[in-house]
Amino acid sequence: MSVPDYMQCAEDHQTLLVVVQPIGVVPEESFFRIYKRISAVSQVNVRDSQRVLYIRYRHHYPPENNEWGDFQTHRKVVGLITITECSSAKEWPQTFEKFHLQKEIYGSTLYDSRLFVFGLQGEIAEQPRTDVAFYPSYDECETVEKRIEDFIESLFIVLESKRLDRATDKSGDKIPLLCVPFEKKDFVGLDTDSRHYKKRCQGRMRKHVGDLCLQAGMLQDSLVHYHMAVELLRSVNDFLWLGAALEGLCSASVIYHYPGGTGGKVGPRRAQGGSLSAEAGNRHRPGAQEVLIDPGALTSNGINADTSAEIGRAKNCLSPEDIIEKYKEAISYYGKYKNAGVIELEACVKAVRVLAIQKRSMEASEFLQNAVYINLRQLSEEEKIQRYSILSELYERIGFHRKSAFFKRIAAMQCAAPSIPEPGWRACYKLLLETLPGYSLSLDPQDFSRGAHRGWAAVQMRLLHELVYASRRMGNPALCVRHLSFLLQTMLDFLSDQEKKDVTQSLESYTAKCPGTMEVITLPDGLKLPPVPFTKLPIVKSVKLLNLPTSLRPHKVKSLLGQNVSTKSPFIYSPIIAHSRGEERNKKIDFQWVQGDVCEVQLMVYNPMPFELRVENMGLLTTGVEFESLPAALSLPAESGLYPVTLVGVPQTTGQITVNGYHTSVFGVFSDCLLDNLPGVKTNGCTVEVIPALPRVQISTSLPRSAHTLQPSSGDEISTNVSVQLYNGETQQLIIKLENIGTEPLEKLEVTAKTVNIKEKLYGDFLSWNLEDTLCQFPLKPGKIATFTVNIKVKLDFSCQENLLQDLSDDGISVSGLPLSSPFRQVVKPRVETKPLNAQESSKVGDFSHVKTLEAILNFKYSGGPGHAEGYYRNLALGLHVEVEPSVFFTRISTLPATSTRQCHLLLDVFNSTEHELTISARNNEDLILHAGECQRIAIQVDKFNFESFPESPADGAQLANAKQLEEERQQARGLEINSKLDICWKIPSLKREGEASVEGVLNQLVLEHLQLAPLQWDILVDGKVCDCDIVVTCQVGDPVPLQVKLTNWSKHSVGPFALTMMPYQDYQNGVHNYDLQDAITFVGSNTFYIDTVKPAKDSVYFGALLFLYTGDFYLNIKFHEDNCSRELPLSWLCLPSVHIRATEPVAPAKL
């Protein structure tokens, strides 16, 4: 026997072998349809008996295997069923002849045969025959199963007769010697009368009868015969047949212990009548009690009470442990014979199936290992494939998955062996796919993204390479790309640098013909290959949704924002709510994107490849909102390390948008990489809200961009920074162009300004503007430009607090602007010893060359379009960096009284700190030219100020801080009024630049007192004319001149009464005053004026008169009487104007 049956199992020993074959031309589909119905009749209950016959059908059986039928009767073909098509009576004789020729092939062993004829009708078909059945067609053959049952009963009759004939053979010495084919030549010339020969004949016949009993359903009898055969054959060392007897004994015991079978078939085998107890299913347990009950012991009331004989026969059945031992012994005997390799191999397979049920995997592997090394004749490639496939299946059954995969892979390689003219690459590919689970390999890349790598990577890579090669030989490039992609994705960490290059080159060559996609590939057998996204090319470590740039971020109007606050819970804090909000925060981000604006997602990636990685068509995968992804192409250097990549897109609608992942094209493979499949990726959330569209404004200015970037304390970012250099006191216009570069109209604009990082004190408005002209151009359509003007005015402190200059003495210094003296200059240089010694000292206050810095932020709050309707706006910030260079310094300020009580002279020492010639001008004064570094004094005659209209300090009990603040405001208001009256300006003609010079920071309390009008205002009127300063009142000699003294009280308290004495005198202009004028001037009434008490904000007038007797220039010296009232008041309150009266001769009337 040369063809092994790898599907053999121990229970096949009780089956009858029936061959079903076609005759002539029979369609394969039709044949197997009938064959399936025939093979369904595999168990038949024998009439008038409790026995069951088991049938094993084969549609192909080698005739040479039939020659071993005496050795093991289940190998003998005892039945033949032929199927043929016959359309006419003329073909019938030829068809029937073929049937007889087919029977002759197995004629020596056949018990019975049947011919099924399809398509023949007529007289021939109507003739009753036992061996032939006629059917009109394959669809009209309802009695096939019944015919098969009748056929099997006929087989049983023959089998039973043979069993009885052999079992009752009493001839003794005439027992024939049963032989296997290769033994026949060895027994020629033996002494047939020897005792040894007779025992051999008896032993072999006993074993043969045991086989027949087993096939006939008599399990108990077969056990007895097998035991007797073992004893007889062991005594004569007939090892081949002894092994067969032991194998028969094992098979019978297996049938008893495992009624469900060992072949792995679906459904349990039908129990033999009466031979199994109710607990037969549990008897495979080691140590279980085995008791055989003879069918004759069964009565209508149950088991016969006298079962001693059957209990004694229980020893005939082997225990599960003994079954394996006897299998080992039988296989060892088979191994002694070279020609019994097939028998040995099949015995090993049967033992393995039994051990698989007993869950004794290690022992089963020993049997399989023995089966691997059994040498058979030169096997064909198909036989080798079958052998390795069965070995793989058996190893799988005992749980040796990797060993199973090993033999399955060998079978796959045999399908494409070089010796095969037409290699079966499809079969090879199918078998290779079946090996994947054994090597802990699956075709789903998600199985490799969780936890540590399972399996031997080197073996897995070899197997994947073989799948790629088989796919290519099958002519399926899509499969090649899918498997190569899987290899690169899952085995990247185990590939050497050279292997990475080779695999990628191969992949690129395949994708040039068939690009890799994300579609599921379905194989012909229904297996689906999931897509393989390249999540490691490049490797993404983090995904971060970026907020819009500061200038484009939307803000919600606060009043509207308050209405949307959730009020689901009345509690301020709840741990349950906090927990749920935390989960939601992990999914949703606290900023918004805007419809129609470019939005960004930043990925931190790195290239694990040893060469430059080109990633094409990389974009975002989103859901929830219509999103236009703008693909990017990037090139990552070899083993780049973490590298930021920004992917952008534009949301087209509003709502919630979720970033699910990204898509790439690498090496010609398109991948959709989902974040859910990347457990190691860090993200700040994936869901963001898209609000309605808003306009976008771009700012351009008339000033150059600044290299200084403002860092406001609030954390706001400045979109544009501009800078300008100004001299202290200078004003410049900043022209801002607002261009609507979006798609929505600009409908609303608000402008605010705030200064930042300013340590200097500013005087006046730093930034000022008028928004009305700009708003007249609204709504501003897309593409249009609106102009906006901002005035930048820098007024810092003009005082020089350090004593940088030499003191200016009053002698010899020029006093410019006074008409009574001629101006002259004196150049004064800074003292050398006061210069700073290092850079740190040079930054101190008082360094006249130090450049000050002012910084401010202009905020443009604008909105429009659908976003404006929803209550959203945008902020655009313009940073302004102003460098203020000193222009002039006021090094000293003082006052001198003027001739009028209501005026005074303000003396200012002005220092030119620029490098250019500078001109100083003030109201009603001549221009003063200062060279670089020159200091001069300027005198300005000013009217005194009434500061009583400014707010006073708060009453007692007010907050100290408020009092201090109010005092500062009063001081500032005073300085502002004084400065506005002085109107001091400077000009640099060479630069064509000009500005103001403010004394607000120079004024001190003493100067302010000198500049303030006294609360008591004294007015003297002579002849109705106010006398003050250089006013000369003219009168005629002899005429009485009215004299009025008016007191106005601007203080808060009542003053008076006062007494004033008028004393006339003449000034000889040489320092001599003549008061002896009784003959020249006389008073009409008293020369002493008495003024009663004057209440606040009231006035009082005293009237008198003078009479001049001579011509001349006369002056009045008015003195207060020293009393309590006058002594309590400051002297400055009692300053009266000077009175100058010129008496002239009366004009004579004209004579007619």
Side-chain angles (χ1 to χ4, degrees), residues 980-1001:
S980 64
K981 295 291 181 65
L982 295 178
D983 195 19
I984 304 175
C985 298
W986 56 262
K987 290 183 181 179
I988 303 177
S990 61
L991 300 180
K992 296 182 179 180
R993 298 173 72 168
E994 61 183 15
E996 301 178 13
S998 173
V999 298
E1000 295 177 51

PDB file of all heavy atoms in Angstrom, residues 980-1001:
ATOM      1  N   SER A 980      -1.108 126.851  29.111  1.00  0.00           N
ATOM      2  CA  SER A 980      -1.873 127.330  27.957  1.00  0.00           C
ATOM      3  C   SER A 980      -1.709 128.833  27.761  1.00  0.00           C
ATOM      4  O   SER A 980      -1.752 129.328  26.630  1.00  0.00           O
ATOM      5  CB  SER A 980      -3.353 126.978  28.131  1.00  0.00           C
ATOM      6  OG  SER A 980      -3.892 127.644  29.247  1.00  0.00           O
ATOM      7  N   LYS A 981      -1.506 129.601  28.850  1.00  0.00           N
ATOM      8  CA  LYS A 981      -1.319 131.045  28.731  1.00  0.00           C
ATOM      9  C   LYS A 981       0.081 131.391  28.263  1.00  0.00           C
ATOM     10  O   LYS A 981       0.285 132.375  27.550  1.00  0.00           O
ATOM     11  CB  LYS A 981      -1.603 131.721  30.074  1.00  0.00           C
ATOM     12  CG  LYS A 981      -3.049 131.592  30.537  1.00  0.00           C
ATOM     13  CD  LYS A 981      -3.967 132.400  29.653  1.00  0.00           C
ATOM     14  CE  LYS A 981      -5.433 132.316  30.103  1.00  0.00           C
ATOM     15  NZ  LYS A 981      -5.641 132.912  31.427  1.00  0.00           N
ATOM     16  N   LEU A 982       1.060 130.558  28.653  1.00  0.00           N
ATOM     17  CA  LEU A 982       2.442 130.847  28.273  1.00  0.00           C
ATOM     18  C   LEU A 982       2.670 130.554  26.794  1.00  0.00           C
ATOM     19  O   LEU A 982       3.355 131.302  26.100  1.00  0.00           O
ATOM     20  CB  LEU A 982       3.418 130.019  29.116  1.00  0.00           C
ATOM     21  CG  LEU A 982       3.446 130.332  30.614  1.00  0.00           C
ATOM     22  CD1 LEU A 982       4.422 129.400  31.321  1.00  0.00           C
ATOM     23  CD2 LEU A 982       3.830 131.781  30.853  1.00  0.00           C
ATOM     24  N   ASP A 983       2.132 129.436  26.318  1.00  0.00           N
ATOM     25  CA  ASP A 983       2.247 129.047  24.903  1.00  0.00           C
ATOM     26  C   ASP A 983       3.706 129.033  24.456  1.00  0.00           C
ATOM     27  O   ASP A 983       4.100 129.654  23.471  1.00  0.00           O
ATOM     28  CB  ASP A 983       1.432 129.999  24.029  1.00  0.00           C
ATOM     29  CG  ASP A 983       1.229 129.429  22.618  1.00  0.00           C
ATOM     30  OD1 ASP A 983       1.404 128.198  22.465  1.00  0.00           O
ATOM     31  OD2 ASP A 983       0.906 130.206  21.709  1.00  0.00           O
ATOM     32  N   ILE A 984       4.525 128.273  25.215  1.00  0.00           N
ATOM     33  CA  ILE A 984       5.961 128.157  24.898  1.00  0.00           C
ATOM     34  C   ILE A 984       6.140 127.086  23.819  1.00  0.00           C
ATOM     35  O   ILE A 984       5.668 125.960  23.969  1.00  0.00           O
ATOM     36  CB  ILE A 984       6.788 127.801  26.147  1.00  0.00           C
ATOM     37  CG1 ILE A 984       6.546 128.848  27.244  1.00  0.00           C
ATOM     38  CG2 ILE A 984       8.259 127.688  25.815  1.00  0.00           C
ATOM     39  CD1 ILE A 984       7.216 128.528  28.556  1.00  0.00           C
ATOM     40  N   CYS A 985       6.813 127.435  22.749  1.00  0.00           N
ATOM     41  CA  CYS A 985       7.064 126.495  21.648  1.00  0.00           C
ATOM     42  C   CYS A 985       8.536 126.511  21.297  1.00  0.00           C
ATOM     43  O   CYS A 985       9.247 127.485  21.556  1.00  0.00           O
ATOM     44  CB  CYS A 985       6.245 126.879  20.408  1.00  0.00           C
ATOM     45  SG  CYS A 985       4.475 126.840  20.669  1.00  0.00           S
ATOM     46  N   TRP A 986       8.992 125.386  20.728  1.00  0.00           N
ATOM     47  CA  TRP A 986      10.365 125.297  20.235  1.00  0.00           C
ATOM     48  C   TRP A 986      10.343 124.857  18.781  1.00  0.00           C
ATOM     49  O   TRP A 986       9.418 124.179  18.330  1.00  0.00           O
ATOM     50  CB  TRP A 986      11.203 124.338  21.084  1.00  0.00           C
ATOM     51  CG  TRP A 986      10.630 122.939  21.199  1.00  0.00           C
ATOM     52  CD1 TRP A 986       9.892 122.454  22.212  1.00  0.00           C
ATOM     53  CD2 TRP A 986      10.763 121.891  20.244  1.00  0.00           C
ATOM     54  NE1 TRP A 986       9.520 121.164  21.974  1.00  0.00           N
ATOM     55  CE2 TRP A 986      10.062 120.774  20.768  1.00  0.00           C
ATOM     56  CE3 TRP A 986      11.402 121.760  19.004  1.00  0.00           C
ATOM     57  CZ2 TRP A 986       9.972 119.560  20.085  1.00  0.00           C
ATOM     58  CZ3 TRP A 986      11.326 120.560  18.328  1.00  0.00           C
ATOM     59  CH2 TRP A 986      10.614 119.469  18.871  1.00  0.00           C
ATOM     60  N   LYS A 987      11.371 125.243  18.060  1.00  0.00           N
ATOM     61  CA  LYS A 987      11.511 124.847  16.666  1.00  0.00           C
ATOM     62  C   LYS A 987      12.960 124.498  16.397  1.00  0.00           C
ATOM     63  O   LYS A 987      13.871 125.123  16.953  1.00  0.00           O
ATOM     64  CB  LYS A 987      11.091 125.983  15.723  1.00  0.00           C
ATOM     65  CG  LYS A 987       9.616 126.286  15.699  1.00  0.00           C
ATOM     66  CD  LYS A 987       9.316 127.377  14.683  1.00  0.00           C
ATOM     67  CE  LYS A 987       7.834 127.705  14.661  1.00  0.00           C
ATOM     68  NZ  LYS A 987       7.534 128.803  13.674  1.00  0.00           N
ATOM     69  N   ILE A 988      13.133 123.456  15.568  1.00  0.00           N
ATOM     70  CA  ILE A 988      14.466 123.104  15.074  1.00  0.00           C
ATOM     71  C   ILE A 988      14.438 123.357  13.577  1.00  0.00           C
ATOM     72  O   ILE A 988      13.932 122.526  12.808  1.00  0.00           O
ATOM     73  CB  ILE A 988      14.825 121.640  15.391  1.00  0.00           C
ATOM     74  CG1 ILE A 988      14.741 121.380  16.897  1.00  0.00           C
ATOM     75  CG2 ILE A 988      16.222 121.302  14.890  1.00  0.00           C
ATOM     76  CD1 ILE A 988      15.021 119.940  17.299  1.00  0.00           C
ATOM     77  N   PRO A 989      14.877 124.477  13.127  1.00  0.00           N
ATOM     78  CA  PRO A 989      14.752 124.823  11.703  1.00  0.00           C
ATOM     79  C   PRO A 989      15.443 123.847  10.780  1.00  0.00           C
ATOM     80  O   PRO A 989      14.952 123.540   9.699  1.00  0.00           O
ATOM     81  CB  PRO A 989      15.396 126.219  11.629  1.00  0.00           C
ATOM     82  CG  PRO A 989      15.310 126.757  13.019  1.00  0.00           C
ATOM     83  CD  PRO A 989      15.457 125.589  13.927  1.00  0.00           C
ATOM     84  N   SER A 990      16.596 123.317  11.204  1.00  0.00           N
ATOM     85  CA  SER A 990      17.331 122.416  10.314  1.00  0.00           C
ATOM     86  C   SER A 990      16.570 121.128  10.060  1.00  0.00           C
ATOM     87  O   SER A 990      16.720 120.498   9.013  1.00  0.00           O
ATOM     88  CB  SER A 990      18.710 122.107  10.908  1.00  0.00           C
ATOM     89  OG  SER A 990      18.559 121.460  12.174  1.00  0.00           O
ATOM     90  N   LEU A 991      15.772 120.674  11.010  1.00  0.00           N
ATOM     91  CA  LEU A 991      14.996 119.439  10.863  1.00  0.00           C
ATOM     92  C   LEU A 991      13.546 119.707  10.498  1.00  0.00           C
ATOM     93  O   LEU A 991      12.787 118.742  10.272  1.00  0.00           O
ATOM     94  CB  LEU A 991      15.047 118.624  12.170  1.00  0.00           C
ATOM     95  CG  LEU A 991      16.423 118.177  12.658  1.00  0.00           C
ATOM     96  CD1 LEU A 991      16.294 117.393  13.958  1.00  0.00           C
ATOM     97  CD2 LEU A 991      17.126 117.334  11.602  1.00  0.00           C
ATOM     98  N   LYS A 992      13.171 120.993  10.492  1.00  0.00           N
ATOM     99  CA  LYS A 992      11.785 121.363  10.232  1.00  0.00           C
ATOM    100  C   LYS A 992      10.838 120.662  11.189  1.00  0.00           C
ATOM    101  O   LYS A 992       9.807 120.102  10.824  1.00  0.00           O
ATOM    102  CB  LYS A 992      11.388 121.055   8.789  1.00  0.00           C
ATOM    103  CG  LYS A 992      12.162 121.861   7.761  1.00  0.00           C
ATOM    104  CD  LYS A 992      11.704 121.548   6.340  1.00  0.00           C
ATOM    105  CE  LYS A 992      12.472 122.383   5.324  1.00  0.00           C
ATOM    106  NZ  LYS A 992      12.041 122.095   3.933  1.00  0.00           N
ATOM    107  N   ARG A 993      11.242 120.693  12.450  1.00  0.00           N
ATOM    108  CA  ARG A 993      10.412 120.050  13.478  1.00  0.00           C
ATOM    109  C   ARG A 993      10.152 121.059  14.577  1.00  0.00           C
ATOM    110  O   ARG A 993      10.996 121.912  14.886  1.00  0.00           O
ATOM    111  CB  ARG A 993      11.098 118.788  14.038  1.00  0.00           C
ATOM    112  CG  ARG A 993      11.314 117.754  12.946  1.00  0.00           C
ATOM    113  CD  ARG A 993      12.138 116.592  13.420  1.00  0.00           C
ATOM    114  NE  ARG A 993      11.408 115.735  14.330  1.00  0.00           N
ATOM    115  CZ  ARG A 993      11.841 114.520  14.701  1.00  0.00           C
ATOM    116  NH1 ARG A 993      12.988 114.059  14.216  1.00  0.00           N
ATOM    117  NH2 ARG A 993      11.137 113.796  15.522  1.00  0.00           N
ATOM    118  N   GLU A 994       8.983 120.940  15.155  1.00  0.00           N
ATOM    119  CA  GLU A 994       8.589 121.872  16.194  1.00  0.00           C
ATOM    120  C   GLU A 994       7.703 121.164  17.192  1.00  0.00           C
ATOM    121  O   GLU A 994       7.162 120.076  16.928  1.00  0.00           O
ATOM    122  CB  GLU A 994       7.853 123.069  15.590  1.00  0.00           C
ATOM    123  CG  GLU A 994       6.576 122.690  14.846  1.00  0.00           C
ATOM    124  CD  GLU A 994       5.903 123.880  14.204  1.00  0.00           C
ATOM    125  OE1 GLU A 994       6.538 124.944  14.085  1.00  0.00           O
ATOM    126  OE2 GLU A 994       4.724 123.732  13.843  1.00  0.00           O
ATOM    127  N   GLY A 995       7.570 121.828  18.371  1.00  0.00           N
ATOM    128  CA  GLY A 995       6.751 121.236  19.394  1.00  0.00           C
ATOM    129  C   GLY A 995       6.509 122.220  20.519  1.00  0.00           C
ATOM    130  O   GLY A 995       6.917 123.384  20.464  1.00  0.00           O
ATOM    131  N   GLU A 996       5.858 121.735  21.548  1.00  0.00           N
ATOM    132  CA  GLU A 996       5.558 122.557  22.701  1.00  0.00           C
ATOM    133  C   GLU A 996       6.546 122.269  23.810  1.00  0.00           C
ATOM    134  O   GLU A 996       7.142 121.196  23.869  1.00  0.00           O
ATOM    135  CB  GLU A 996       4.137 122.281  23.195  1.00  0.00           C
ATOM    136  CG  GLU A 996       3.048 122.545  22.185  1.00  0.00           C
ATOM    137  CD  GLU A 996       1.678 122.212  22.737  1.00  0.00           C
ATOM    138  OE1 GLU A 996       1.576 122.014  23.970  1.00  0.00           O
ATOM    139  OE2 GLU A 996       0.722 122.146  21.947  1.00  0.00           O
ATOM    140  N   ALA A 997       6.679 123.244  24.706  1.00  0.00           N
ATOM    141  CA  ALA A 997       7.465 123.053  25.922  1.00  0.00           C
ATOM    142  C   ALA A 997       6.560 123.382  27.103  1.00  0.00           C
ATOM    143  O   ALA A 997       6.015 124.488  27.187  1.00  0.00           O
ATOM    144  CB  ALA A 997       8.701 123.937  25.920  1.00  0.00           C
ATOM    145  N   SER A 998       6.365 122.420  27.968  1.00  0.00           N
ATOM    146  CA  SER A 998       5.408 122.568  29.059  1.00  0.00           C
ATOM    147  C   SER A 998       6.133 122.815  30.369  1.00  0.00           C
ATOM    148  O   SER A 998       7.165 122.189  30.655  1.00  0.00           O
ATOM    149  CB  SER A 998       4.544 121.312  29.161  1.00  0.00           C
ATOM    150  OG  SER A 998       3.739 121.360  30.296  1.00  0.00           O
ATOM    151  N   VAL A 999       5.599 123.741  31.147  1.00  0.00           N
ATOM    152  CA  VAL A 999       6.166 124.037  32.469  1.00  0.00           C
ATOM    153  C   VAL A 999       5.401 123.315  33.565  1.00  0.00           C
ATOM    154  O   VAL A 999       5.626 123.590  34.753  1.00  0.00           O
ATOM    155  CB  VAL A 999       6.148 125.561  32.722  1.00  0.00           C
ATOM    156  CG1 VAL A 999       7.003 126.291  31.722  1.00  0.00           C
ATOM    157  CG2 VAL A 999       4.719 126.097  32.701  1.00  0.00           C
ATOM    158  N   GLU A1000       4.502 122.412  33.186  1.00  0.00           N
ATOM    159  CA  GLU A1000       3.647 121.773  34.184  1.00  0.00           C
ATOM    160  C   GLU A1000       4.460 121.002  35.206  1.00  0.00           C
ATOM    161  O   GLU A1000       4.109 120.948  36.390  1.00  0.00           O
ATOM    162  CB  GLU A1000       2.654 120.831  33.484  1.00  0.00           C
ATOM    163  CG  GLU A1000       1.673 121.548  32.591  1.00  0.00           C
ATOM    164  CD  GLU A1000       0.758 120.585  31.855  1.00  0.00           C
ATOM    165  OE1 GLU A1000       0.173 119.730  32.529  1.00  0.00           O
ATOM    166  OE2 GLU A1000       0.645 120.687  30.621  1.00  0.00           O
ATOM    167  N   GLY A1001       5.533 120.368  34.772  1.00  0.00           N
ATOM    168  CA  GLY A1001       6.328 119.591  35.716  1.00  0.00           C
ATOM    169  C   GLY A1001       7.355 120.404  36.445  1.00  0.00           C
ATOM    170  O   GLY A1001       8.064 119.879  37.308  1.00  0.00           O
TER     171      GLY A1001
END
